Amino acid sequence: MSKLEVSAVGAGNVSLGGEISVHRLGFGAMRLTGEGIWGPPKDRKGAVAVLRRAVELGVNFIDTADSYGPGVSEELIAEALFPYPEDLVIATKGGWNRPGPDQWTHDASPEHLRKAIEGSLKRLRLDRIDVYQLHIPDPAVSFEASVETLAELQREGKIRLVGLSNVTREHIERARKIVPIVSVQNRYSFADREWDYVVDYCERNGIAFIPWFPLGAGRVAAEILNRVAEAHQKTSMQVALAWLLQRSPIMLPIPGTSSMEHLEENIGAASLKLKQEEYRELSAVVELAKAG
Ligand SMILES: NC(=O)c1ccc[n+]([C@@H]2O[C@H](COP(=O)([O-])OP(=O)(O)OC[C@H]3O[C@@H](n4cnc5c(N)ncnc54)[C@H](OP(=O)(O)O)[C@@H]3O)[C@@H](O)[C@H]2O)c1
């Protein structure tokens, strides 16, 4: 495939709450920060260039969070892309903090979420955030209280659309009683299918599903991936992304990278179509791994 044919447009579109339509292959901006998702990147110019190239390649959905860096990923997005192209959707998150390298602490209290969104608006240089996601339910805070706060912020005009992350179906149903939910972001890949039932639920209810960590692991998975990749003269990452795109029309993968080469490779998956038997074989990896 020539460089000109590499475009996120090939993945088709997915709707966010019937309000915004984005190409179904986005970009995850977590890996642009320093090691351990902490501090500035080693190569700031390189990180800015990767973000700009992602948009050139048709990406119009970028995922980030206040905790990536913390603050660093959002600042890089603004540095690279502000003033933003009209169709660019930035989805950020709050409620899960990063007090040090590789460390996470919960705070999805109403007070914290209100403060967090002000910080994200400032760093992203926006008056309103298109998609704001609760990063993870906080075990020490009522889930309803966290979601109600996002609903209030939406009524105040600071958030356009609300999403959830790291949730069960029960969480989604409880949240939808308070505010429309346009997206759910959970860990998911062809070899990591704990949230299959959530994907199906999202498909039935027109909610976008944003899988993170799209390249599944494990020996059986790697063998099958490599074989399918060879048959298409593609890479295993491209096959893993193509499986996700084929899994459901509401799937919106956000592969993340700090490397220009990996970015182009990942976007190159947008137009890869797997044969039915390849799709089925990859889907069965989970059963094979259990059996043996
Ligand atoms: N909601 C949540 O709790 C949550 C959790 C984790 C992530 N996320 C979001 O999901 C996005 C993706 O998740 P992720 O970063 O964990 O997983 P990922 O996209 O699968 O990336 C994982 C690693 O794969 C490498 N990589 C990327 N493309 C590659 C390629 N073509 N070939 C070989 N290696 C490649 C990257 O390193 P290089 O930089 O070297 O390419 C990166 O370190 C994140 O950016 C973030 O926005 C959300």
Side-chain angles (χ1 to χ4, degrees), residues 66-270:
D66 61 350
S67 48
Y68 299 163
V72 173
S73 172
E74 291 180 334
E75 281 164 5
L76 280 168
I77 291 169
E79 182 179 332
L81 300 169
F82 188 85
Y84 301 116
E86 216 171 295
D87 67 340
L88 181 68
V89 173
I90 300 170
T92 194
K93 320 181 194 77
W96 212 13
N97 298 331
R98 198 105 182 135
D102 295 317
Q103 295 168 38
W104 293 103
T105 52
H106 290 274
D107 192 352
S109 63
E111 304 71 38
H112 175 76
L113 288 174
R114 285 194 160 271
K115 225 168 70 197
I117 197 150
E118 292 305 328
S120 291
L121 284 167
K122 197 162 163 224
R123 284 185 294 273
L124 289 167
R125 305 183 210 167
L126 290 169
D127 298 325
R128 182 178 71 162
I129 285 167
D130 274 333
V131 182
Y132 195 83
Q133 307 158 95
L134 178 66
H135 207 151
I136 190 168
D138 180 342
V141 172
S142 137
F143 178 66
E144 272 73 13
S146 303
V147 176
E148 183 55 54
T149 307
L150 299 188
E152 282 166 17
L153 288 160
Q154 187 182 51
R155 288 195 288 274
E156 290 165 27
K158 296 191 171 174
I159 294 175
R160 184 169 178 190
L161 302 167
V162 177
L164 299 173
S165 174
N166 300 304
V167 286
T168 63
R169 173 180 165 160
E170 191 207 337
H171 285 121
I172 310 169
E173 288 179 334
R174 282 163 61 190
R176 291 178 77 205
K177 292 193 176 125
I178 300 171
V179 68
I181 296 299
V182 306
S183 63
V184 167
Q185 181 172 151
N186 281 2
R187 201 188 66 203
Y188 187 76
S189 72
F190 76 98
D192 180 358
R193 304 268 290 286
E194 183 180 356
W195 302 113
D196 257 336
Y197 76 101
V198 170
V199 175
D200 294 337
Y201 175 84
C202 287
E203 187 173 309
R204 284 197 302 277
N205 290 282
I207 298 170
F209 185 90
I210 306 173
W212 60 268
F213 203 45
L215 189 59
R219 187 183 55 80
V220 181
E223 276 170 18
I224 298 178
L225 257 191
N226 289 340
R227 183 156 39 75
V228 176
E230 235 169 76
H232 286 271
Q233 297 191 310
K234 294 280 182 183
T235 67
S236 53
M237 183 59 142
Q238 289 174 318
V239 172
L241 290 169
W243 183 90
L244 283 168
L245 291 171
Q246 248 161 276
R247 167 67 175 82
S248 168
I250 49 85
M251 193 70 72
L252 169 53
I254 47 164
T257 180
S258 57
S259 138
M260 195 68 89
E261 202 186 326
H262 287 165
L263 170 72
E264 295 188 357
E265 176 183 332
N266 297 346
I267 304 300

